[in-house]
Amino acid sequence: MPPTIIDPKTDSKKIEPGQFQNTGLTKKFTVKRASAMKSEGDSYVATWQDLSTYNYPTRGFFNSPTPAQGTKIDHKTLIDEEATFCVDTFASGMTSGFTSPSRPWFELFLDDDELMKVEVVKYWLDDVTKKMLDIFQRSGTYAVLNAMYAELSVFSTACAIIEEDFKNVISLRNFTCGEYYLACDKQGRVNAFYHRFYMKVGQMVSDFGIGNVSAVVQQAYQSGDIDKWILINHLIEENEGRVPYLKDFWNMPFRSIYWEDGSKDDDYLRIGGYEEFPLLVPRWDTTTTADSYGKGGPGWKALGSVKELQKKVKNLLIGLDKESNPPLQKDASVTGEVNTLPGGITTSSALVPNAGVRPTYQVQLNLANLDASIEKTKQKIRKFYFTDLFLMMIQAERSGTPITATEIIEKQSEKLSILGPILERWQGDDFVKALIERTFNIGMRNSQSPDPSQNVFPPSPQELQGKELKIRYTSILAQAQRMQEIVAINQWVSEILSVAQANPAIIDNINFDGYAQEKAKMLGIPARIINSPEAMAALRKARAKITAEAEAQKKMLILAEAANKGAGAVKDMSAAPIGENSALDSTLEAIKGANPR
């Protein structure tokens, strides 16, 4: 159930006229704000339609009267599907490499290194991270993220909403370009969302309640016309007039307003709010902080090459057609129509020189040159979409031997360096950080029950009270970004160890515990498999005790062996006769010399 939303199914009281004015906001102001956002977004539509037509015709929703209409792909315009293949490859590669459903791609931690050594803290952070990854898996989050990556690559902007869900904690729904509009604050962060969409009459009554829909919808519902489409407006924006210490739906940080298109003033379908901005709105790049929509993504950059490819392929097909079925010309001596069928007969006069039918002109294609030119254009398109990088990763995943960050650095460092700044942006407030933080906050709000089985997360340790959690990204692409630092550390340790063969004292420069812990942090190793300082101290103490006991036992064995040898020697001496130059005679002489008296 959406957070703090008035749900007519449990509270069917109709919103009274004038009630919304209590917040200092009017329906007229709301419609005006939404219209301004739409006007700004509509200025991009011509570009978005071009991007959709040439890169991915099934994405985007422009100027259609109602949804659920069959999309006709213009194959006279889009002849070669290379760009569409690149979009799918980019989306799959980003899903596998950036937010992988098959491996951990982030972890929670604290800036306080000493507190991070406390086992209950480390284990709680580990448990919550695993729980969130499980929530993403069962809530269908990764399918939505895959669709968002495709939208990002084509239109440079993507959008999805995160709602609370009783069963799966969260549920995500993605939007396609052209059906939503955005606005930003002065820092350039998206803080407003306007969505125009259609619902059927039956869906509206079920979702909003019969008492909140208009008379037109009520009449259609009562007459059985439940499949009639109605245009709905939904605006989410910052609630600037709220009273922060009040927790009712009027005073949420973000307000949410639904209304029917063209409805009377003060008629609303639902008014509610959110504790956090519920939208994920990643953008490829923005020119200024005033830009609400992204620009400059692969689709934008590749558009000229994609159009060029269509023209080249079209010319190739026309040339092949003319070569295999050339245009013909006939003279006046030819009787009737020219028969171009196999075995067909065309009649002409033998009395007229050069009479009959002949090609108008000869077409001689150089297929090798044409194919090379087309392939060169395709390579440019693949380069814009980072296809080589992502194919390498996808193929490695499918083979069952996931690629490592080191391999990416070695093979695709140039492409990664270009993609790096974009990944940094997407790790920020508009995308995966917002996904993690909102999921965490929803989980924490649903972890207040005295019955632990009803809570999303386990109880947090007392040590974490008032502490700010941080996010570290551990996906394969995030690791590859940090791999240069890891490579430098490994190289330094390797060189020290090689020099140590000549001068062992140089090893004292290496803090091996620090080396192991720093690499574990960079690679995102789970805290549960890393021993705490206390555990390491106990292990080392036990090991030292075992070593000392072994040394003591070894000494005892040596002494016992020596004693046995001594006893044997005494026995031999006692049995030896005196006066026959035996060992006993030598011993007696030595004693006499030592004691002359």
Side-chain angles (χ1 to χ4, degrees):
M1 185 175 66
T4 54
I5 297 292
I6 295 178
D7 189 344
K9 287 175 283 188
T10 57
D11 182 359
S12 59
K13 181 181 178 182
K14 184 174 175 62
I15 300 170
E16 298 298 334
Q19 185 178 0
F20 198 32
Q21 277 83 340
N22 295 336
T23 64
L25 191 68
T26 64
K27 174 80 172 294
K28 183 177 181 180
F29 179 89
T30 302
V31 173
K32 186 176 181 180
R33 173 82 196 277
S35 298
M37 292 172 64
K38 182 179 183 301
S39 178
E40 180 185 345
D42 284 346
S43 65
Y44 287 82
V45 166
T47 301
W48 290 337
Q49 283 184 302
D50 218 18
L51 291 167
S52 173
T53 299
Y54 285 94
N55 286 276
Y56 214 110
T58 57
R59 293 201 174 275
F61 184 74
F62 311 105
N63 304 323
S64 180
T66 58
Q69 302 295 314
T71 301
K72 182 179 179 182
I73 299 176
D74 182 6
H75 283 296
K76 292 182 180 179
T77 301
L78 186 64
I79 303 172
D80 191 283
E81 68 288 345
E82 183 67 30
T84 305
F85 166 76
C86 290
V87 172
D88 287 336
T89 303
F90 180 90
S92 299
M94 284 300 301
T95 302
S96 298
F98 192 51
T99 51
S100 173
S102 60
R103 69 172 89 189
W105 52 271
F106 77 95
E107 63 178 0
L108 302 175
F109 73 103
L110 298 169
D111 277 339
D112 189 333
D113 291 337
E114 292 303 315
L115 200 52
M116 281 299 294
K117 295 175 183 177
V118 179
E119 286 193 355
V120 292
V121 172
K122 290 197 307 179
Y123 292 168
W124 186 84
L125 293 173
D126 244 14
D127 290 341
V128 170
T129 299
K130 290 177 182 177
K131 183 66 177 177
M132 291 174 66
L133 289 170
D134 177 64
I135 290 170
F136 294 150
Q137 190 74 252
R138 56 191 171 89
S139 64
T141 296
Y142 294 109
V144 173
L145 292 178
N146 186 271
M148 293 181 73
Y149 292 132
E151 293 269 330
L152 271 167
S153 67
V154 176
F155 305 109
S156 297
T157 307
C159 185
I161 190 168
I162 309 172
E163 299 280 17
E164 289 195 34
D165 183 82
F166 178 76
K167 181 179 179 182
N168 296 317
V169 184
I170 62 169
S171 64
L172 274 74
R173 177 192 173 192
N174 66 286
F175 304 99
T176 193
C177 186
E179 67 168 336
Y180 63 88
Y181 305 93
L182 307 171
C184 295
D185 61 17
K186 62 182 181 181
Q187 281 82 30
R189 295 173 302 207
V190 176
N191 69 340
F193 164 84
Y194 172 45
H195 181 210
R196 288 170 63 82
F197 64 104
Y198 288 87
M199 290 183 73
K200 293 182 177 180
V201 165
Q203 295 171 338
M204 290 181 63
V205 172
S206 174
D207 195 25
F208 299 113
I210 191 70
N212 285 326
V213 298
S214 67
V216 173
V217 175
Q218 291 179 11
Q219 184 178 0
Y221 182 77
Q222 290 164 358
S223 64
D225 191 7
I226 61 173
D227 290 314
K228 179 180 179 180
W229 289 107
I230 303 294
L231 182 58
I232 308 297
N233 297 274
H234 182 204
L235 177 66
I236 299 174
E237 61 179 348
E238 282 193 90
N239 190 2
E240 297 173 350
R242 75 188 184 101
V243 180
Y245 60 83
L246 295 180
K247 295 298 183 182
D248 61 341
F249 72 94
W250 297 112
N251 292 290
M252 285 291 165
F254 292 89
R255 57 176 161 247
S256 170
I257 310 163
Y258 288 87
W259 71 95
E260 288 181 44
D261 203 57
S263 61
K264 297 184 298 182
D265 288 348
D266 303 321
D267 275 355
Y268 309 98
L269 294 169
R270 178 183 293 157
I271 303 171
Y274 294 92
E275 291 278 7
E276 307 90 20
F277 189 55
L279 277 300
L280 305 178
V281 196
R283 293 165 292 172
W284 192 274
D285 194 14
T286 53
T287 306
T288 70
T289 54
D291 288 333
S292 300
Y293 305 94
K295 305 172 184 176
W300 289 63
K301 293 175 181 176
L303 186 57
S305 295
V306 176
K307 290 183 176 181
E308 175 189 339
L309 175 63
Q310 308 312 314
K311 183 173 177 60
K312 285 182 177 180
V313 173
K314 183 177 181 180
N315 288 341
L316 172 63
L317 295 175
I318 291 173
L320 289 171
D321 201 22
K322 287 184 176 181
E323 189 174 49
S324 60
N325 188 20
L328 303 174
Q329 62 182 19
K330 67 176 183 175
D331 56 37
S333 67
V334 175
T335 304
E337 295 295 324
V338 176
N339 190 336
T340 60
L341 295 174
I345 298 174
T346 300
T347 304
S348 63
S349 172
L351 301 177
V352 179
N354 299 320
V357 181
R358 65 186 64 84
T360 303
Y361 51 84
Q362 296 290 333
V363 176
Q364 295 180 339
L365 291 176
N366 189 325
L367 289 178
N369 287 345
L370 282 171
D371 286 342
S373 179
I374 289 172
E375 181 59 28
K376 185 177 180 180
T377 304
K378 286 185 177 183
Q379 287 177 358
K380 286 197 296 182
I381 297 170
R382 295 175 197 140
K383 183 177 180 181
F384 287 127
Y385 278 99
F386 306 94
T387 303
D388 292 344
L389 169 65
F390 291 124
L391 276 180
M392 178 180 69
M393 294 169 56
I394 294 169
Q395 289 166 359
E397 289 281 351
R398 289 175 179 171
S399 68
T401 54
I403 194 168
T404 65
T406 306
E407 290 173 313
I408 290 180
I409 283 291
E410 291 173 351
K411 299 178 182 179
Q412 302 287 349
S413 58
E414 179 185 354
K415 292 182 177 62
L416 187 67
S417 64
I418 298 172
L419 193 60
I422 305 303
L423 297 180
E424 290 288 344
R425 175 188 288 271
W426 292 351
Q427 289 171 359
D429 294 333
D430 287 344
F431 196 15
V432 291
K433 182 182 178 185
L435 170 64
I436 293 167
E437 289 184 346
R438 178 151 168 77
T439 303
F440 177 82
N441 290 337
I442 291 174
M444 290 299 290
R445 288 195 291 269
N446 288 277
S447 299
Q448 310 300 319
S449 172
D451 181 1
S453 64
Q454 301 299 315
N455 292 331
V456 176
F457 298 144
S460 58
Q462 185 63 35
E463 292 87 343
L464 284 176
Q465 298 306 310
K467 299 295 182 180
E468 181 181 357
L469 300 185
K470 302 289 184 179
I471 302 168
R472 181 183 293 115
Y473 298 99
T474 59
S475 68
I476 189 66
L477 288 177
Q479 287 182 31
Q481 285 183 278
R482 296 194 297 269
M483 203 62 202
Q484 293 291 359
E485 185 179 354
I486 295 176
V487 169
I489 292 173
N490 287 341
Q491 184 178 358
W492 177 76
V493 171
S494 178
E495 290 179 357
I496 292 294
L497 293 177
S498 65
V499 173
Q501 296 177 7
N503 180 11
I506 198 173
I507 294 182
D508 296 339
N509 284 278
I510 303 176
N511 177 356
F512 285 100
D513 285 344
Y515 169 70
Q517 291 162 9
E518 195 63 27
K519 283 202 66 175
K521 185 188 301 182
M522 291 178 177
L523 296 174
I525 304 301
R528 283 190 178 277
I529 67 172
I530 304 172
N531 280 327
S532 66
E534 294 79 11
M536 287 193 293
L539 285 171
R540 287 167 180 172
K541 184 178 179 180
R543 190 182 300 116
K545 182 180 179 182
I546 293 171
T547 303
E549 290 175 350
E551 288 293 331
Q553 187 176 6
K554 184 178 179 181
K555 288 180 181 179
M556 291 294 292
L557 289 172
I558 293 173
L559 290 173
E561 185 178 354
N564 288 335
K565 287 182 178 179
V570 170
K571 181 180 180 182
D572 291 343
M573 289 172 63
S574 65
I578 299 174
E580 296 184 7
N581 294 324
S582 64
L584 183 56
D585 288 335
S586 301
T587 302
L588 291 173
E589 286 296 327
I591 294 172
K592 190 183 294 183
N595 299 279
R597 289 181 297 176

